[in-house]
Amino acid sequence: HLVLLASCQLVEDSYGHPLCPGQLAKALRIPSVHRGDGLQVVHATADVQTPAQDPLQQELQRFNKLTRCIRESLVDVQKATKGLVVMGAKLEKVFGSIINGTIPELWASNSYPSLKPLAGYVFDLLERLRFFRRWIVEGTPRSFWLSGFFFTQSFFTGAAQNYARKYTIPIDDVTFNFEFMTKSTYKN
């Protein structure tokens, strides 16, 4: 078990022993949202064009780019700590950020905005990946985690475009209206 304590920025295992960067790189395994031809799977399983299909594909591309960046940098850090590759400036920055409990710049440049420390960021990323995996496996959700998107505007634009197409109206005439529910009326 891996424990990232953001408050003191210490990285340790479940026994309280500090992890060396190689162990940390191995412990922080970030799964891909989908493997192989996942985008084609999304196309094939969608019998009808849904408002969320295009934004889903765009989000999957962004998350796969991010997870690939994280995975490759962690593998390289692990190799560098074993002396198998040279630890250049880029890897040294990744390594230093992991040790300090902050999001490496390399990851942040490929990521959604986040001000969280590394532990919170990894937890949040894994939650986002679970959300999109459920979406792929179970189909379009009844409700959406809007802040879980890289680019929320894309989702709203896709919904507006599909609505405008369905009802043959100009997209500029489509607007969104929100109504907040009380806790007593909200159900999953």
Side-chain angles (χ1 to χ4, degrees):
H1 298 291
L2 174 69
V3 178
L4 294 172
L5 301 174
S7 58
C8 63
Q9 298 181 339
L10 176 68
V11 182
E12 57 185 38
D13 65 15
S14 58
Y15 301 105
H17 303 108
L19 289 177
C20 75
Q23 292 169 315
L24 179 61
K26 190 174 183 179
L28 279 178
R29 292 189 191 145
I30 306 293
S32 179
V33 176
H34 64 278
R35 299 194 187 279
D37 59 350
L39 291 178
Q40 287 76 26
V41 171
V42 173
H43 277 298
T45 58
D47 296 331
V48 178
Q49 177 74 17
T50 65
Q53 187 176 5
D54 290 335
L56 170 62
Q57 292 175 35
Q58 293 168 0
E59 290 295 311
L60 295 178
Q61 290 170 346
R62 290 180 185 106
F63 276 101
N64 281 330
K65 180 181 177 187
L66 171 60
T67 57
R68 187 172 31 259
C69 167
I70 293 172
R71 192 178 306 106
E72 288 172 1
S73 66
L74 290 175
V75 166
D76 289 345
V77 165
Q78 190 173 15
K79 288 179 182 176
T81 58
K82 291 179 180 178
L84 301 174
V85 297
V86 176
M87 186 174 295
K90 184 171 81 172
L91 281 183
E92 196 170 329
K93 285 182 179 181
V94 171
F95 173 74
S97 294
I98 291 171
I99 293 300
N100 291 323
T102 59
I103 303 168
E105 287 178 32
L106 178 64
W107 301 2
S109 68
N110 290 288
S111 181
Y112 50 87
S114 179
L115 298 174
K116 296 180 178 190
L118 183 59
Y121 177 82
V122 170
F123 178 79
D124 181 65
L125 174 60
L126 293 174
E127 285 299 310
R128 290 170 189 247
L129 295 177
R130 280 188 207 99
F131 169 74
F132 285 104
R133 186 173 301 280
R134 275 193 310 271
W135 188 346
I136 292 167
V137 173
E138 299 172 12
T140 306
R142 291 179 60 193
S143 62
F144 296 91
W145 178 19
L146 294 179
S147 62
F149 286 86
F150 255 88
F151 190 54
T152 308
Q153 275 182 294
S154 173
F155 175 77
F156 286 120
T157 300
Q161 286 172 339
N162 285 328
Y163 186 87
R165 282 186 204 120
K166 181 177 180 178
Y167 295 102
T168 60
I169 59 173
I171 192 167
D172 293 335
D173 291 347
V174 178
T175 59
F176 290 96
N177 188 13
F178 301 92
E179 182 178 318
F180 292 94
M181 301 184 316
T182 64
K183 281 189 175 186
S184 61
T185 59
Y186 174 75
K187 292 182 181 179
N188 283 340

